[in-house]
């Protein structure tokens, strides 16, 4: 069924005549590229003009069609019942997002309205353009440490540039379909830096949690500890009381109130819809103002929240600033991608309807959202697990819920912004402490003994590097360590087996491996005794001909296998079976080529067999089959027959 009617025209050619005449076309988005390109091709063919314009238009349209927001798909069959559910869920999430957005901004060294504006703009765009049906975007706790460090070093103007660059990085990651690669980041690395960030968030909130008088909190770990220790005498008992009361309210409301009032209130099931953070915010704000407590509030520190929208301003881009901000921006992009796609996977599993998010579309939406947000002085945004889970539990069915959540926040800014002056900062600190505790996967430390030694080392190392040094360093070290561990294990799974006819080794049973001492004499290779009759192989003289089988992957970490073969060359023929080899890289192919050349220099014929799929494709690309005097067969039996044939001139069969 056609989705839209388009008035379409293609521009003029060199001589000023139109290449495509003005016509109406009804088309669906999926058929647009085919219809437009075929129409333009007919017009150009009839007028003998080149099809450059048609090709360009087709490429542009094809590129556009790859940008497929889930919102368009969700609108098919959208009903009034779904709208009611989405509006209810969106309003609920908006209530949850309000205190978190302010808290994240303040903890990052920014004004509270920055967090709210980011939640509005980025939240709207991520829901409208994203690849997930129910994911909610906005400021996230994972960014606090990085953003605070950028603001402390490069000021707010530097943060705006970094956010814009990270948006470009995210969009390019999605455009070049790198969304699936984020899933290859090891679990140990993710848990390590997530727990490290949680510790840093909790540590950074101790200042406001205890009402300490510290003018400027350092960004680095040891600086924070030193500042807290030297200002411990400035602890405000009233602030501590408000913070502890807020934390107690959140915990009790979240975990105990619904069950305690289960048989006393008819609406007990609805209590969990109202977040404990909002309850704590309201009660402590009233307590501070009624009792006149000496506690710092948003009004006393920031002067309140403006009830107007931010102005559109382009960031001032200078190469001197950009070159220093490229790495922080890449860190923001990488962390945002990880956080967002992990959140989207959790959302898919919770929905249970079989639909999966589009990771590349999600990254492109994140990129657009961060780029646009930077034009309004916003902070980084990504998919957030807490708000997404709330959205799902509130009955959301489509991205409309996320759009409603953004509009609800906008309404709060326009109508209720003056009330924010009463919000106590210790309450926001308590909310972030609760978020940090839920953010960390602390049980993993207790379960470390159940994992391998490399897993333990990587997780603990990434955790400590995140806390003590920097998230970028932690992720880089974790990825390198994980890669080296992976390569080590893969190289151990790769092996070369030397096949020996049963008659040549009567001490071993057919089809069994020789003792470990014999196998060690051949380096990393194993010697396997084969029954020629059972395997359908003719017998051969092992002094004149060697038969090897390669297993696993032949890459730069396992080329030692070919060196072992070269150290044990026969007198006349070398047979190598690739039928059990899954992959070979350039280093492996180069080493194989060197083995063949060295063998031929010693007048040893080389026969390869079993090359298939990736190894065969690689051999063709590098021109291995073009080597002179190289013999290639399909099966091992054919290779052995070919080897015996090559030895016939010597009188040996």
């Amino acid at each position: 069924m056609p989705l839209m009617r388009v008035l379409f025209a293609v521009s003029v050619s060199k001589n000023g005549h139109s290449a495509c005449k003005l016509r109406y076309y009804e088309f669906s988005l999926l058929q647009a590229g085919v219809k437009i390109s075929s129409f333009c091709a007919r017009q150009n063919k009839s007028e003998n003009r080149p099809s450059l314009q048609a090709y360009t238009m087709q490429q542009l349209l094809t590129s556009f069609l790859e940008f497929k927001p889930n919102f368009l798909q969700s609108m098919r069959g959208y009903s009034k019942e779904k709208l009611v559910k989405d509006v209810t869920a969106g309003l609920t999430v908006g209530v949850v997002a309000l205190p978190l957005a302010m808290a994240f901004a303040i903890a990052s060294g920014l004004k509270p309205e920055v967090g709210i504006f980011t939640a509005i703009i980025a939240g709207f765009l991520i829901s409208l353009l994203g690849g997930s049906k129910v994911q909610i975007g906005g400021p996230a706790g994972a960014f606090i440490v990085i953003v605070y460090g950028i603001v402390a070093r490069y000021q707010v103007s530097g943060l705006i540039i970094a956010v814009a660059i990270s948006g470009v990085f995210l969009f390019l990651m999605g455009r070049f379909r790198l969304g699936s690669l984020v899933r290859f980041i090891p679990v140990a690395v993710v848990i390590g830096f997530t727990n490290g960030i949680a510790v840093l968030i909790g540590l950074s909130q101790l200042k406001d949690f205890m009402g300490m008088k510290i003018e400027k909190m350092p960004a680095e770990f040891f600086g924070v500890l030193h500042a807290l220790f030297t200002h411990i005498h400035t602890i405000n008992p009233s602030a501590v009381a408000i913070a502890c009361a807020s934390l107690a309210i959140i915990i009790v409301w979240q975990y105990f109130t619904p069950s305690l009032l289960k048989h006393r209130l008819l609406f007990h099931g609805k209590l969990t819809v109202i977040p404990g953070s909002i309850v704590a915010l309201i009660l402590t704000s009233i307590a501070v103002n009624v009792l006149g407590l000496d506690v710092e509030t948003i009004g006393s520190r920031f002067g309140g929240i403006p009830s107007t929208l931010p102005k559109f301003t382009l960031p001032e881009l200078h190469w001197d600033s950009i070159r220093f901000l490229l790495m922080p921006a890449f860190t923001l992009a990488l962390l945002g991608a990880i956080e967002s796609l992990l959140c989207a996977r959790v959302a898919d599993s919770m929905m249970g309807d079989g639909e999966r998010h589009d990771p590349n579309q999600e990254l492109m939406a994140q990129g657009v959202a961060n780029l646009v947000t930077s034009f309004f002085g916003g902070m980084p945004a990504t998919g957030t697990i807490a708000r997404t889970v709330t959205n799902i539990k509130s009955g959301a069915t489509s991205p409309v819920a996320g759009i409603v959540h953004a509009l609800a926040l906008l309404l709060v800014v326009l109508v209720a912004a003056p009330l924010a002056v009463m919000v106590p900062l210790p309450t926001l600190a308590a909310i972030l402490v609760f978020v940090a505790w839920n953010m960390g996967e602390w049980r993993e430390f207790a379960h470390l003994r159940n994992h391998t030694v490399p897993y333990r080392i990587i997780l603990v190392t990434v955790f400590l590097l995140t806390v003590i040094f920097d998230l970028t360093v932690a992720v880089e070290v974790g990825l390198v360590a994980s890669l080296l561990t992976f390569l080590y294990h893969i190289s151990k799974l790769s092996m070369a087996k030397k096949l020996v006819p049963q008659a040549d080794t009567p001490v071993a049973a057919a089809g069994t491996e020789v003792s470990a001492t014999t196998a060690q004499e051949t380096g990393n290779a194993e010697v396997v005794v084969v029954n020629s009759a059972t395997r359908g192989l003719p017998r051969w003289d092992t002094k004149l001909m060697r038969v090897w089988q390669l297993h696993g992957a032949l890459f730069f970490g396992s080329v030692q296998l070919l060196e072992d073969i070269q150290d044990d060359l026969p007198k006349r023929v070398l047979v190598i079976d690739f039928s059990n080899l899954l992959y070979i890289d350039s280093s492996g192919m180069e080493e194989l080529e060197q083995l063949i050349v060295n063998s031929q220099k010693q007048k040893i014929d080389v026969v390869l067999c079993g090359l298939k799929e990736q190894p065969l494709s690689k051999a063709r690309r590098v021109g291995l089959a073009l080597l002179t005097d190289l013999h290639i067969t399909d099966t091992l039996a054919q290779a052995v027959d070919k080897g015996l044939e090559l030895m016939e001139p010597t009188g040996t069969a």
Side-chain angles (χ1 to χ4, degrees):
M1 183 175 180
L3 294 181
M4 62 182 70
R5 181 183 293 272
V6 175
L7 182 62
F8 184 78
V10 178
S11 58
V12 297
S13 58
K14 289 184 179 179
N15 58 7
H17 296 289
S18 62
C20 296
K21 296 179 180 179
L22 186 63
R23 293 191 179 183
Y24 277 101
Y25 267 84
E26 283 188 340
F27 61 99
S28 68
L29 287 175
L30 295 178
Q31 297 173 338
V34 177
K35 288 191 175 182
I36 293 174
S37 61
S38 61
F39 170 70
C40 292
R42 291 196 303 270
Q43 294 293 327
N44 283 299
K45 183 177 180 180
S46 64
E47 299 181 17
N48 293 323
R49 292 190 178 92
S51 59
L52 175 61
Q53 293 167 332
Y55 174 78
T56 303
M57 181 57 65
Q58 183 183 13
Q59 291 296 103
L60 290 174
L61 191 54
T62 301
S63 176
F64 170 75
L65 292 177
E66 290 183 2
F67 194 87
K68 301 175 182 177
N70 189 280
F71 177 81
L72 297 178
Q73 181 180 352
S74 299
M75 289 299 99
R76 298 174 184 173
Y78 196 71
S79 62
K80 181 180 178 181
E81 290 75 17
K82 290 184 177 181
L83 178 61
V84 172
K85 291 182 179 180
D86 287 336
V87 170
T88 303
L91 293 175
T92 303
V93 177
V95 173
V96 174
L98 179 62
L100 292 177
M102 292 190 296
F104 290 150
I106 294 173
S108 301
L110 303 170
K111 294 181 179 180
E113 60 264 26
V114 174
I116 299 178
F117 292 148
T118 300
I120 294 172
I121 299 171
F124 179 86
L125 291 175
I126 289 173
S127 294
L128 180 66
L129 305 177
S132 175
K133 187 164 61 175
V134 292
Q135 178 158 261
I136 302 296
F143 288 127
I144 290 176
V145 179
I146 306 173
V147 172
Y148 191 89
I150 295 175
V151 172
R153 188 170 182 178
Y154 302 105
Q155 308 303 318
V156 176
S157 58
L159 173 66
I160 294 173
I161 296 174
V163 172
I165 298 174
S166 71
V168 175
F169 282 153
L170 281 166
F171 185 86
L172 292 177
M173 289 168 66
R175 185 62 185 82
F176 290 106
R177 312 191 68 79
L178 301 180
S180 300
L181 296 181
V182 177
R183 299 180 180 181
F184 289 96
I185 297 179
V187 174
V189 176
V190 175
I191 293 176
F193 76 69
T194 301
N195 286 3
I197 290 173
V199 169
L200 290 175
I201 292 174
L203 191 65
S204 67
Q205 294 311 298
L206 291 181
K207 167 183 173 290
D208 288 334
F209 194 94
M210 296 187 292
M212 302 173 73
K213 304 296 182 182
I214 304 176
E215 293 184 5
K216 183 68 175 179
M217 280 289 286
E220 66 278 1
F221 174 71
F222 292 109
V224 172
L225 291 181
H226 180 265
L228 293 174
F229 180 76
T230 54
H231 292 80
I232 198 170
H233 61 281
T234 64
I235 292 178
N236 183 349
S238 298
V240 175
I242 291 296
C244 291
S246 301
L247 196 58
I249 291 171
I250 295 172
I251 295 173
V252 170
W253 186 270
Q254 205 79 16
Y255 296 110
F256 300 107
T257 301
S259 59
L260 290 175
L261 301 179
K262 184 175 182 180
H263 302 291
R264 298 183 182 182
L265 295 178
L266 296 176
F267 53 87
H268 69 275
K270 302 295 183 181
L271 291 176
T272 54
V273 175
I274 304 174
S277 57
I278 286 293
V279 178
L281 210 64
I282 295 174
L283 294 181
T284 55
S285 297
I286 294 174
V288 168
N289 286 273
V290 171
L291 300 178
L293 299 178
D294 182 21
V295 174
E296 200 169 13
T297 63
I298 288 180
S300 63
R301 180 181 293 184
F302 302 103
I305 295 176
S307 57
T308 58
L309 295 178
K311 295 181 180 180
F312 178 88
T313 55
L314 291 174
E316 297 182 4
L317 301 177
H318 302 287
W319 174 244
D320 291 338
S321 302
I322 292 176
R323 62 192 182 99
F324 291 113
L325 290 167
L326 283 176
M327 185 54 67
F330 180 74
T331 303
L332 290 175
L334 181 61
L335 182 58
I338 296 172
E339 189 86 2
S340 174
L341 297 185
L342 287 177
C343 177
R345 292 179 66 182
V346 171
D348 290 344
S349 63
M350 291 185 66
M351 290 296 290
D353 54 6
E355 292 188 22
R356 293 184 180 180
H357 70 282
D358 182 346
N360 298 308
Q361 179 63 38
E362 188 64 31
L363 290 184
M364 287 192 286
Q366 303 281 341
V368 173
N370 279 275
L371 182 61
V372 173
T373 301
S374 68
F375 297 151
F376 295 92
M379 61 188 296
T382 184
T384 57
I385 292 180
R387 276 158 276 179
T388 299
V389 171
T390 302
N391 192 37
I392 295 172
K393 290 184 176 180
S394 300
T397 64
S398 75
V400 173
I403 295 175
V404 172
H405 131 269
L407 297 178
L409 287 174
L410 176 61
L411 183 63
V412 170
V413 169
L414 297 178
V415 176
L419 298 177
V421 297
M422 300 186 296
V423 175
L425 294 183
T427 298
L428 294 180
I431 292 173
L432 285 186
V433 169
F434 183 74
V435 169
W437 175 257
N438 288 328
M439 179 181 175
E441 299 186 40
W442 313 111
R443 294 180 180 178
E444 288 297 322
F445 289 117
H447 297 159
L448 278 178
R449 62 182 181 275
N450 299 329
H451 296 284
T452 62
V453 173
Y455 181 95
R456 301 177 204 168
I457 294 175
I458 292 172
L459 192 154
V460 174
T461 301
V462 172
F463 171 75
L464 293 177
L465 289 176
T466 302
V467 173
I468 298 175
F469 291 100
D470 181 67
L471 176 64
T472 306
V473 176
V475 172
E476 289 174 351
V477 172
L479 289 177
V480 171
S482 300
L483 178 61
L484 293 177
T485 302
F486 172 76
L487 293 177
Y488 173 78
H489 287 301
I490 291 297
S491 65
K492 290 300 181 183
L493 293 175
S494 303
M495 62 183 69
K497 294 183 178 181
K498 183 168 69 173
L499 303 186
V500 179
Q502 183 179 2
D504 292 342
T505 54
V507 295
T512 61
E513 297 180 3
V514 179
S515 63
T517 55
T518 307
Q520 291 174 0
E521 293 175 1
T522 323
N524 295 329
E526 294 182 4
V527 180
V528 178
V529 181
V530 296
N531 188 319
S532 299
T534 304
R535 296 284 295 270
L537 300 174
R539 289 180 52 194
W540 65 91
D541 188 340
T542 55
K543 294 182 180 179
L544 297 177
M545 184 168 70
R546 296 274 197 275
V547 179
W548 292 86
Q549 276 188 337
L550 296 179
H551 294 254
L554 188 60
F555 65 107
F556 60 89
S558 60
V559 292
Q560 176 67 34
L561 301 177
L562 296 181
E563 295 176 2
D564 294 335
I565 295 176
Q566 187 162 326
D567 293 339
D568 190 26
L569 290 175
K571 293 182 179 180
R572 287 289 291 113
V573 178
L574 174 64
V575 176
I576 304 178
D577 180 14
F578 288 84
S579 58
N580 294 306
L581 192 74
L582 302 176
Y583 173 80
I584 183 170
D585 72 349
S586 299
S587 298
M589 191 60 70
E590 183 178 351
E591 193 69 24
L592 176 61
E593 185 177 356
Q594 189 63 40
L595 171 63
I596 295 171
V597 172
N598 291 341
S599 299
Q600 292 176 345
K601 285 181 180 179
Q602 300 180 43
K603 301 189 181 303
I604 300 173
D605 291 304
V606 180
V607 183
L608 307 182
C609 69
L611 280 166
K612 56 186 179 182
E613 297 182 3
Q614 193 275 338
L616 178 60
S617 174
K618 188 73 173 180
R620 288 172 176 169
R621 287 201 303 271
V622 301
L624 186 66
L626 300 178
L627 291 175
T628 57
D629 299 326
L630 176 64
H631 308 279
I632 300 178
T633 65
D634 293 330
T635 65
L636 179 59
Q638 293 173 351
V640 175
D641 287 335
K642 184 65 177 179
L644 294 176
E645 178 186 331
L646 293 171
M647 291 192 299
E648 284 181 359
T650 65
T652 305

